[in-house]
Amino acid sequence: MGELSLLSNGVNPVLLVVVPLALAFAVPLIGFVSKKIIKYIPVVAFLFNLIVALLLIPSVLKQPIVVKIGGFAPPFCINLVAGPIGILFSALIALAGLLVSIYALNYIREGPQEKYHILYLLLLTGATGVVLTGDIFNLFVFFEILCISSYALVAYLGNKAGIESSIKYLIQGSVGSSLLLLGIGLLYGQFGTLNMADIANQIHSASSPSIFVPMVLMITGLGVEAAIFPLNAWLPDAHSSAPSSISAILSGIAIEVGLYAVIRVLFTIFDASNFLMFFVFLGVLTLLIGEMCAFSQKNIKRMLAYSSIGQIGLIVFAFSIANTYGVTGGFFQLISHTLGKGLLFLAAGYMIYRSGSMDISTFEGMGKRMPLTSLFFTVGAFSIVGLPPFIGFPSKFMIVRAALSTGELLFTILIGIVLLGTVIEGAYFFRVVQVIYFKKGNGNPERKKAPISGLISMFIFVILILVIGVYPNLITKILNSAASELLNRIDYIRSVLG
Amino acid sequence: MTLYLMAFFLFLVGLYGAVTKKDIIKIILSIGIMGYSVNLFLILIAYRTGAIYPILSKIEDLGIPMVDPLPQALVLTSIVIELGITALLAALAIRIYEKYKTFDITKVRRLKG
C-alpha cells in the first residue's frame, strides 16, 4: 500500500467510518454475551473516533489526506478526502457522539435499548461518512444512512407524538432524497463521473442552464435535512418528540451535516458565487422565522427546536457572505451551536424527566430542585444568545465583523436584522431562565439530582463552552484552514486529482 | 429526450401523490413511484442505442459499444435504500393504524405550532 506511507503516524481516516459501522453491527452479537455492556459500545466507538480525528489534525493542516479505496486513482474510485473541513466535522461528531452516549448510559432506560445503540452508531457513522467522502453518490448513500437511522430514532419512544413526527419527517425526507438522486443522475449524465473534484473541475465547461437544474435539485434535496426555510416543517415535531439525547444529536449534528453537504455542493462543486445573494436572504429569513416561532412556544423542546432553525439561518447567512471572516464565522458558529444546543437539550432532558412535563411553566423553582442541571441549562442558553465569556460570543462576533468587513450597506442592514433576531433569542431564553430561578415552585422543593453520568457529560460541555469562549485562539487555526479549503476550490481539486 | 421527459413526468406523478394524498398507503405508493422514476432515469442515462450488456464474454464483442454499467450499480444501491425507506414507512403506518384506527393522515394531528 503506497499511499499508507503518506499518512502521518499510520492513522488512516477510513477508520473513522469503519470502526463505528463495524461496532454497530457487532452490537447484537455482543448482546448475546452480555446485555449490560451494550450501552458502553458507543462510548468506546466515539472515544476512538475522537482520538483518531485529533491525531489526524496536525497532518491534515499541512495537506489534505486522500484515501483511495480499492487502490484505483481518483476519479475512478470512491475516495475519502480528509481535509480540514472533514476532520473538523469528524472531530465534532465524535465529541458530541461521545458526550451524548455518556449521557445516554443512564438516560435511555425504556424501549428496545439494543436497537437504540445500533441506530445511534449508524446515525453518526453516516454523518462522519458524509463529511469525509469525496464521491457524490457515496455522499448520497451515507446521507441515507444518517437519515434512515434518524427517522427510526425519532419514533423510538413509540408514543403518538413520536410516530406522527417520524412519519412526517420520513415523507419529507424521502421526497428530498429522491430529488437529490435525480440531481446526481443529471450530473453523471453530463460529466460521466461521480467524483466531486472531477465534476468541480469540469463544471465550467457545461452550459449554465444544464448546471442550474441539478444544482437546484441537489440543494433542495439536501436542504430538507439542513432545515433551510421553507423545507423545515418537519424539524420542530421531530426534534421535540425524540428522546432528549437524540434531540441533542439531531440538532447538534444531523442538521449541521446537512448544511455541510449544502455548502460543499454550492461552493466546491458548482462554484455558485452568483447565487449566494439568494442564500443570504434565505438565511436571514430562516433566522427570523425560527426565532419568532421559538418566541411563541410554551413547550421547552419545541422552543429549542425552533431556536435551532434560527441558528441554522444565522450559519447560512455567515457562509453566504463568502469572505474569509464569514466562512470562518460560519464554522465557528456551527461548533458553538453544536456545543450549546447539545447542552441545552441534555439539560432539558432531565428537567423534563423531573417535572414530568415539557411545559416551561412547570419548571418553576427548578433552580432550587436541580441546581446543577439548571446552572448548565443557563450556561447553554447564555452561550446560544452570545453572551461573553461563552463560546457563542466570539462566534457571533466574527459573523458581525464579517458582515461589516464587506463594506456594503446591504450587509450592514442585514446584520442589524440578524442582531434583532438575537434580541428575540435573548428574550425567550431569559424568560426560561427567569422561570427556573425567580419563580417559586408550588411543588415539593426536595432536591433531586440528575444521574452522575448525565452530569459528567453536561459538565464537559460546559467546560468546552467556557474554555473555547475565553480562548477562541485554540481552534482558529483549524477554522481558518477549513475556511480556505471551502473558498479555494482549485486547491481542493488539485489535492484530490493530483 | 422524450424518454427523459416521460421519466420526469413519472417523477411528478409521484410527487403529486406524496403531496396531495391523505391516505398513508397511497403516500407510500407515491414515494415508491418517485423512487422508481429516478431509477428509470438513471438506467436511461446509461442506455446507448445498439449497445450490448456490459459483460465481455466473447472476443467478437470487443468493438461493439456497451451500455454504461455504473448507473446500473447505482440503481442497485438506490433500490436497497428505497426498500429500507418503504419498510420503515409501512411499519410506521401499521403503528399509526394501531394508535388511531385510521390511515387518514389529516386525522393524525397532535403536534402543531
Side-chain angles (χ1 to χ4, degrees), chain B residues 1-36:
Chain B
M1 197 62 200
T2 328
L3 281 173
Y4 290 135
L5 284 178
M6 283 173 79
F8 189 65
F9 182 71
L10 191 62
F11 183 83
L12 291 181
V13 170
L15 189 62
Y16 172 81
V19 174
T20 58
K21 292 294 168 197
K22 289 175 182 164
D23 194 307
I24 296 177
I25 304 297
K26 286 183 183 161
I27 292 176
I28 297 175
L29 292 178
S30 307
I31 287 173
I33 292 173
M34 245 162 54
Y36 300 142

mmCIF file of all heavy atoms in Angstrom, chain B residues 1-36:
data_model
loop_
_atom_site.group_PDB
_atom_site.id
_atom_site.type_symbol
_atom_site.label_atom_id
_atom_site.label_comp_id
_atom_site.label_asym_id
_atom_site.label_seq_id
_atom_site.Cartn_x
_atom_site.Cartn_y
_atom_site.Cartn_z
ATOM 1 N N MET B 1 -34.751 12.107 -25.706
ATOM 2 C CA MET B 1 -35.229 13.253 -24.919
ATOM 3 C C MET B 1 -36.642 13.013 -24.395
ATOM 4 O O MET B 1 -36.955 13.305 -23.250
ATOM 5 C CB MET B 1 -35.187 14.509 -25.812
ATOM 6 C CG MET B 1 -35.261 15.803 -25.042
ATOM 7 S SD MET B 1 -33.849 15.991 -23.923
ATOM 8 C CE MET B 1 -34.488 17.191 -22.797
ATOM 9 N N THR B 2 -37.505 12.461 -25.294
ATOM 10 C CA THR B 2 -38.885 12.185 -24.885
ATOM 11 C C THR B 2 -38.905 11.240 -23.692
ATOM 12 O O THR B 2 -39.671 11.438 -22.753
ATOM 13 C CB THR B 2 -39.659 11.528 -26.043
ATOM 14 O OG1 THR B 2 -39.141 12.034 -27.267
ATOM 15 C CG2 THR B 2 -41.131 11.814 -25.953
ATOM 16 N N LEU B 3 -37.999 10.238 -23.760
ATOM 17 C CA LEU B 3 -37.982 9.256 -22.674
ATOM 18 C C LEU B 3 -37.595 9.904 -21.360
ATOM 19 O O LEU B 3 -38.193 9.641 -20.313
ATOM 20 C CB LEU B 3 -37.000 8.136 -23.020
ATOM 21 C CG LEU B 3 -37.514 7.102 -24.001
ATOM 22 C CD1 LEU B 3 -36.400 6.165 -24.387
ATOM 23 C CD2 LEU B 3 -38.665 6.331 -23.380
ATOM 24 N N TYR B 4 -36.595 10.811 -21.405
ATOM 25 C CA TYR B 4 -36.184 11.512 -20.194
ATOM 26 C C TYR B 4 -37.356 12.294 -19.623
ATOM 27 O O TYR B 4 -37.620 12.281 -18.421
ATOM 28 C CB TYR B 4 -35.048 12.488 -20.490
ATOM 29 C CG TYR B 4 -33.734 11.843 -20.822
ATOM 30 C CD1 TYR B 4 -32.976 12.299 -21.885
ATOM 31 C CD2 TYR B 4 -33.251 10.786 -20.056
ATOM 32 C CE1 TYR B 4 -31.764 11.713 -22.201
ATOM 33 C CE2 TYR B 4 -32.048 10.195 -20.358
ATOM 34 C CZ TYR B 4 -31.310 10.656 -21.436
ATOM 35 O OH TYR B 4 -30.126 10.079 -21.735
ATOM 36 N N LEU B 5 -38.080 12.988 -20.538
ATOM 37 C CA LEU B 5 -39.206 13.802 -20.075
ATOM 38 C C LEU B 5 -40.287 12.931 -19.462
ATOM 39 O O LEU B 5 -40.916 13.312 -18.469
ATOM 40 C CB LEU B 5 -39.774 14.626 -21.225
ATOM 41 C CG LEU B 5 -38.924 15.832 -21.616
ATOM 42 C CD1 LEU B 5 -39.552 16.562 -22.789
ATOM 43 C CD2 LEU B 5 -38.778 16.780 -20.431
ATOM 44 N N MET B 6 -40.474 11.713 -20.066
ATOM 45 C CA MET B 6 -41.512 10.837 -19.512
ATOM 46 C C MET B 6 -41.115 10.337 -18.122
ATOM 47 O O MET B 6 -41.963 10.239 -17.231
ATOM 48 C CB MET B 6 -41.782 9.676 -20.462
ATOM 49 C CG MET B 6 -42.629 10.116 -21.648
ATOM 50 S SD MET B 6 -42.806 8.849 -22.864
ATOM 51 C CE MET B 6 -44.057 7.836 -22.102
ATOM 52 N N ALA B 7 -39.800 10.058 -17.947
ATOM 53 C CA ALA B 7 -39.345 9.653 -16.613
ATOM 54 C C ALA B 7 -39.570 10.785 -15.630
ATOM 55 O O ALA B 7 -40.016 10.567 -14.489
ATOM 56 C CB ALA B 7 -37.866 9.270 -16.659
ATOM 57 N N PHE B 8 -39.307 12.010 -16.076
ATOM 58 C CA PHE B 8 -39.516 13.155 -15.196
ATOM 59 C C PHE B 8 -40.997 13.339 -14.884
ATOM 60 O O PHE B 8 -41.382 13.662 -13.764
ATOM 61 C CB PHE B 8 -38.941 14.418 -15.855
ATOM 62 C CG PHE B 8 -38.908 15.595 -14.941
ATOM 63 C CD1 PHE B 8 -38.102 15.589 -13.803
ATOM 64 C CD2 PHE B 8 -39.692 16.708 -15.179
ATOM 65 C CE1 PHE B 8 -38.075 16.666 -12.949
ATOM 66 C CE2 PHE B 8 -39.676 17.783 -14.325
ATOM 67 C CZ PHE B 8 -38.863 17.763 -13.214
ATOM 68 N N PHE B 9 -41.843 13.074 -15.910
ATOM 69 C CA PHE B 9 -43.287 13.169 -15.701
ATOM 70 C C PHE B 9 -43.740 12.152 -14.647
ATOM 71 O O PHE B 9 -44.537 12.467 -13.758
ATOM 72 C CB PHE B 9 -44.004 12.937 -17.029
ATOM 73 C CG PHE B 9 -45.495 13.053 -16.936
ATOM 74 C CD1 PHE B 9 -46.091 14.298 -16.741
ATOM 75 C CD2 PHE B 9 -46.302 11.934 -17.014
ATOM 76 C CE1 PHE B 9 -47.461 14.405 -16.634
ATOM 77 C CE2 PHE B 9 -47.673 12.047 -16.898
ATOM 78 C CZ PHE B 9 -48.249 13.288 -16.715
ATOM 79 N N LEU B 10 -43.181 10.947 -14.744
ATOM 80 C CA LEU B 10 -43.497 9.911 -13.748
ATOM 81 C C LEU B 10 -43.107 10.389 -12.351
ATOM 82 O O LEU B 10 -43.819 10.183 -11.370
ATOM 83 C CB LEU B 10 -42.744 8.634 -14.114
ATOM 84 C CG LEU B 10 -43.136 7.365 -13.358
ATOM 85 C CD1 LEU B 10 -44.575 7.026 -13.618
ATOM 86 C CD2 LEU B 10 -42.236 6.223 -13.766
ATOM 87 N N PHE B 11 -41.946 11.073 -12.284
ATOM 88 C CA PHE B 11 -41.496 11.618 -11.004
ATOM 89 C C PHE B 11 -42.522 12.616 -10.471
ATOM 90 O O PHE B 11 -42.869 12.598 -9.292
ATOM 91 C CB PHE B 11 -40.136 12.304 -11.189
ATOM 92 C CG PHE B 11 -39.549 12.827 -9.922
ATOM 93 C CD1 PHE B 11 -38.847 11.980 -9.086
ATOM 94 C CD2 PHE B 11 -39.708 14.152 -9.551
ATOM 95 C CE1 PHE B 11 -38.308 12.441 -7.908
ATOM 96 C CE2 PHE B 11 -39.174 14.622 -8.378
ATOM 97 C CZ PHE B 11 -38.468 13.766 -7.551
ATOM 98 N N LEU B 12 -43.035 13.469 -11.374
ATOM 99 C CA LEU B 12 -44.021 14.466 -10.937
ATOM 100 C C LEU B 12 -45.301 13.794 -10.463
ATOM 101 O O LEU B 12 -45.934 14.268 -9.504
ATOM 102 C CB LEU B 12 -44.319 15.445 -12.071
ATOM 103 C CG LEU B 12 -43.168 16.380 -12.436
ATOM 104 C CD1 LEU B 12 -43.591 17.311 -13.551
ATOM 105 C CD2 LEU B 12 -42.713 17.175 -11.237
ATOM 106 N N VAL B 13 -45.680 12.680 -11.123
ATOM 107 C CA VAL B 13 -46.863 11.932 -10.675
ATOM 108 C C VAL B 13 -46.675 11.497 -9.221
ATOM 109 O O VAL B 13 -47.541 11.695 -8.366
ATOM 110 C CB VAL B 13 -47.106 10.710 -11.584
ATOM 111 C CG1 VAL B 13 -48.159 9.803 -10.980
ATOM 112 C CG2 VAL B 13 -47.527 11.150 -12.966
ATOM 113 N N GLY B 14 -45.476 10.940 -8.952
ATOM 114 C CA GLY B 14 -45.198 10.501 -7.585
ATOM 115 C C GLY B 14 -45.204 11.656 -6.609
ATOM 116 O O GLY B 14 -45.784 11.573 -5.526
ATOM 117 N N LEU B 15 -44.577 12.770 -7.005
ATOM 118 C CA LEU B 15 -44.505 13.939 -6.121
ATOM 119 C C LEU B 15 -45.912 14.462 -5.826
ATOM 120 O O LEU B 15 -46.248 14.771 -4.677
ATOM 121 C CB LEU B 15 -43.655 15.026 -6.787
ATOM 122 C CG LEU B 15 -43.293 16.228 -5.948
ATOM 123 C CD1 LEU B 15 -42.467 15.792 -4.766
ATOM 124 C CD2 LEU B 15 -42.520 17.238 -6.768
ATOM 125 N N TYR B 16 -46.750 14.508 -6.895
ATOM 126 C CA TYR B 16 -48.127 14.976 -6.716
ATOM 127 C C TYR B 16 -48.847 14.097 -5.697
ATOM 128 O O TYR B 16 -49.490 14.592 -4.767
ATOM 129 C CB TYR B 16 -48.846 14.955 -8.069
ATOM 130 C CG TYR B 16 -50.322 15.238 -7.983
ATOM 131 C CD1 TYR B 16 -50.779 16.544 -7.895
ATOM 132 C CD2 TYR B 16 -51.264 14.208 -7.976
ATOM 133 C CE1 TYR B 16 -52.127 16.815 -7.804
ATOM 134 C CE2 TYR B 16 -52.611 14.460 -7.880
ATOM 135 C CZ TYR B 16 -53.035 15.773 -7.786
ATOM 136 O OH TYR B 16 -54.372 16.043 -7.679
ATOM 137 N N GLY B 17 -48.684 12.781 -5.863
ATOM 138 C CA GLY B 17 -49.355 11.860 -4.941
ATOM 139 C C GLY B 17 -48.870 12.052 -3.523
ATOM 140 O O GLY B 17 -49.660 12.110 -2.576
ATOM 141 N N ALA B 18 -47.537 12.179 -3.351
ATOM 142 C CA ALA B 18 -46.979 12.300 -2.000
ATOM 143 C C ALA B 18 -47.451 13.568 -1.325
ATOM 144 O O ALA B 18 -47.624 13.608 -0.106
ATOM 145 C CB ALA B 18 -45.452 12.272 -2.065
ATOM 146 N N VAL B 19 -47.685 14.631 -2.120
ATOM 147 C CA VAL B 19 -48.063 15.906 -1.507
ATOM 148 C C VAL B 19 -49.556 15.980 -1.239
ATOM 149 O O VAL B 19 -49.986 16.502 -0.207
ATOM 150 C CB VAL B 19 -47.600 17.079 -2.401
ATOM 151 C CG1 VAL B 19 -48.093 18.388 -1.875
ATOM 152 C CG2 VAL B 19 -46.093 17.083 -2.501
ATOM 153 N N THR B 20 -50.390 15.437 -2.171
ATOM 154 C CA THR B 20 -51.823 15.709 -2.046
ATOM 155 C C THR B 20 -52.630 14.586 -1.393
ATOM 156 O O THR B 20 -53.696 14.851 -0.869
ATOM 157 C CB THR B 20 -52.449 15.974 -3.428
ATOM 158 O OG1 THR B 20 -52.213 14.831 -4.242
ATOM 159 C CG2 THR B 20 -51.829 17.196 -4.068
ATOM 160 N N LYS B 21 -52.153 13.329 -1.439
ATOM 161 C CA LYS B 21 -52.993 12.244 -0.950
ATOM 162 C C LYS B 21 -53.094 12.259 0.574
ATOM 163 O O LYS B 21 -52.155 12.661 1.268
ATOM 164 C CB LYS B 21 -52.433 10.898 -1.413
ATOM 165 C CG LYS B 21 -52.539 10.680 -2.900
ATOM 166 C CD LYS B 21 -53.976 10.566 -3.339
ATOM 167 C CE LYS B 21 -54.061 10.635 -4.854
ATOM 168 N NZ LYS B 21 -55.406 10.919 -5.317
ATOM 169 N N LYS B 22 -54.221 11.799 1.080
ATOM 170 C CA LYS B 22 -54.415 11.770 2.525
ATOM 171 C C LYS B 22 -54.170 10.395 3.125
ATOM 172 O O LYS B 22 -53.834 10.275 4.287
ATOM 173 C CB LYS B 22 -55.842 12.208 2.857
ATOM 174 C CG LYS B 22 -56.047 13.689 2.621
ATOM 175 C CD LYS B 22 -57.481 14.082 2.833
ATOM 176 C CE LYS B 22 -57.657 15.558 2.532
ATOM 177 N NZ LYS B 22 -59.057 15.903 2.364
ATOM 178 N N ASP B 23 -54.375 9.366 2.299
ATOM 179 C CA ASP B 23 -54.201 8.003 2.788
ATOM 180 C C ASP B 23 -52.712 7.664 2.853
ATOM 181 O O ASP B 23 -51.985 7.859 1.875
ATOM 182 C CB ASP B 23 -54.929 7.055 1.818
ATOM 183 C CG ASP B 23 -55.081 5.681 2.412
ATOM 184 O OD1 ASP B 23 -54.058 5.133 2.838
ATOM 185 O OD2 ASP B 23 -56.212 5.177 2.452
ATOM 186 N N ILE B 24 -52.272 7.147 4.007
ATOM 187 C CA ILE B 24 -50.840 6.878 4.148
ATOM 188 C C ILE B 24 -50.361 5.838 3.148
ATOM 189 O O ILE B 24 -49.271 5.944 2.596
ATOM 190 C CB ILE B 24 -50.526 6.416 5.591
ATOM 191 C CG1 ILE B 24 -50.838 7.541 6.559
ATOM 192 C CG2 ILE B 24 -49.068 6.042 5.723
ATOM 193 C CD1 ILE B 24 -50.627 7.143 7.980
ATOM 194 N N ILE B 25 -51.220 4.822 2.859
ATOM 195 C CA ILE B 25 -50.813 3.784 1.913
ATOM 196 C C ILE B 25 -50.570 4.396 0.542
ATOM 197 O O ILE B 25 -49.586 4.073 -0.141
ATOM 198 C CB ILE B 25 -51.902 2.691 1.829
ATOM 199 C CG1 ILE B 25 -52.188 2.115 3.218
ATOM 200 C CG2 ILE B 25 -51.484 1.595 0.882
ATOM 201 C CD1 ILE B 25 -51.021 1.425 3.851
ATOM 202 N N LYS B 26 -51.456 5.339 0.142
ATOM 203 C CA LYS B 26 -51.263 5.988 -1.163
ATOM 204 C C LYS B 26 -50.001 6.829 -1.161
ATOM 205 O O LYS B 26 -49.291 6.906 -2.169
ATOM 206 C CB LYS B 26 -52.483 6.847 -1.508
ATOM 207 C CG LYS B 26 -53.670 6.017 -1.920
ATOM 208 C CD LYS B 26 -54.842 6.885 -2.322
ATOM 209 C CE LYS B 26 -56.031 6.006 -2.650
ATOM 210 N NZ LYS B 26 -57.275 6.779 -2.603
ATOM 211 N N ILE B 27 -49.696 7.459 -0.029
ATOM 212 C CA ILE B 27 -48.457 8.239 0.055
ATOM 213 C C ILE B 27 -47.247 7.324 -0.098
ATOM 214 O O ILE B 27 -46.303 7.645 -0.819
ATOM 215 C CB ILE B 27 -48.400 9.006 1.388
ATOM 216 C CG1 ILE B 27 -49.468 10.084 1.411
ATOM 217 C CG2 ILE B 27 -47.036 9.635 1.593
ATOM 218 C CD1 ILE B 27 -49.544 10.823 2.698
ATOM 219 N N ILE B 28 -47.317 6.144 0.545
ATOM 220 C CA ILE B 28 -46.187 5.205 0.431
ATOM 221 C C ILE B 28 -46.005 4.796 -1.028
ATOM 222 O O ILE B 28 -44.893 4.775 -1.551
ATOM 223 C CB ILE B 28 -46.427 3.971 1.326
ATOM 224 C CG1 ILE B 28 -46.480 4.382 2.793
ATOM 225 C CG2 ILE B 28 -45.347 2.927 1.107
ATOM 226 C CD1 ILE B 28 -46.823 3.257 3.728
ATOM 227 N N LEU B 29 -47.137 4.502 -1.712
ATOM 228 C CA LEU B 29 -47.040 4.114 -3.122
ATOM 229 C C LEU B 29 -46.467 5.255 -3.956
ATOM 230 O O LEU B 29 -45.647 5.030 -4.854
ATOM 231 C CB LEU B 29 -48.417 3.701 -3.652
ATOM 232 C CG LEU B 29 -48.969 2.410 -3.068
ATOM 233 C CD1 LEU B 29 -50.348 2.132 -3.629
ATOM 234 C CD2 LEU B 29 -48.044 1.252 -3.364
ATOM 235 N N SER B 30 -46.896 6.506 -3.654
ATOM 236 C CA SER B 30 -46.402 7.641 -4.431
ATOM 237 C C SER B 30 -44.901 7.799 -4.260
ATOM 238 O O SER B 30 -44.180 8.082 -5.226
ATOM 239 C CB SER B 30 -47.087 8.919 -3.982
ATOM 240 O OG SER B 30 -48.463 8.764 -4.026
ATOM 241 N N ILE B 31 -44.434 7.622 -3.010
ATOM 242 C CA ILE B 31 -42.994 7.730 -2.778
ATOM 243 C C ILE B 31 -42.270 6.622 -3.532
ATOM 244 O O ILE B 31 -41.200 6.840 -4.113
ATOM 245 C CB ILE B 31 -42.709 7.703 -1.264
ATOM 246 C CG1 ILE B 31 -43.140 9.036 -0.658
ATOM 247 C CG2 ILE B 31 -41.233 7.469 -0.991
ATOM 248 C CD1 ILE B 31 -43.076 9.075 0.826
ATOM 249 N N GLY B 32 -42.907 5.421 -3.586
ATOM 250 C CA GLY B 32 -42.337 4.332 -4.371
ATOM 251 C C GLY B 32 -42.220 4.711 -5.840
ATOM 252 O O GLY B 32 -41.172 4.513 -6.458
ATOM 253 N N ILE B 33 -43.299 5.318 -6.394
ATOM 254 C CA ILE B 33 -43.274 5.726 -7.810
ATOM 255 C C ILE B 33 -42.148 6.730 -8.060
ATOM 256 O O ILE B 33 -41.417 6.651 -9.051
ATOM 257 C CB ILE B 33 -44.637 6.336 -8.205
ATOM 258 C CG1 ILE B 33 -45.712 5.248 -8.203
ATOM 259 C CG2 ILE B 33 -44.567 6.984 -9.573
ATOM 260 C CD1 ILE B 33 -47.098 5.776 -8.411
ATOM 261 N N MET B 34 -41.983 7.653 -7.118
ATOM 262 C CA MET B 34 -40.913 8.647 -7.249
ATOM 263 C C MET B 34 -39.554 7.960 -7.337
ATOM 264 O O MET B 34 -38.736 8.292 -8.195
ATOM 265 C CB MET B 34 -40.942 9.578 -6.048
ATOM 266 C CG MET B 34 -41.277 10.974 -6.382
ATOM 267 S SD MET B 34 -41.794 11.878 -4.935
ATOM 268 C CE MET B 34 -40.484 11.624 -3.846
ATOM 269 N N GLY B 35 -39.353 6.992 -6.441
ATOM 270 C CA GLY B 35 -38.078 6.271 -6.445
ATOM 271 C C GLY B 35 -37.861 5.516 -7.748
ATOM 272 O O GLY B 35 -36.787 5.566 -8.338
ATOM 273 N N TYR B 36 -38.948 4.840 -8.244
ATOM 274 C CA TYR B 36 -38.788 4.079 -9.480
ATOM 275 C C TYR B 36 -38.466 4.995 -10.646
ATOM 276 O O TYR B 36 -37.695 4.633 -11.527
ATOM 277 C CB TYR B 36 -40.065 3.285 -9.796
ATOM 278 C CG TYR B 36 -40.429 2.306 -8.731
ATOM 279 C CD1 TYR B 36 -41.740 2.072 -8.368
ATOM 280 C CD2 TYR B 36 -39.427 1.602 -8.072
ATOM 281 C CE1 TYR B 36 -42.060 1.188 -7.374
ATOM 282 C CE2 TYR B 36 -39.734 0.718 -7.069
ATOM 283 C CZ TYR B 36 -41.056 0.516 -6.723
ATOM 284 O OH TYR B 36 -41.355 -0.354 -5.736
#
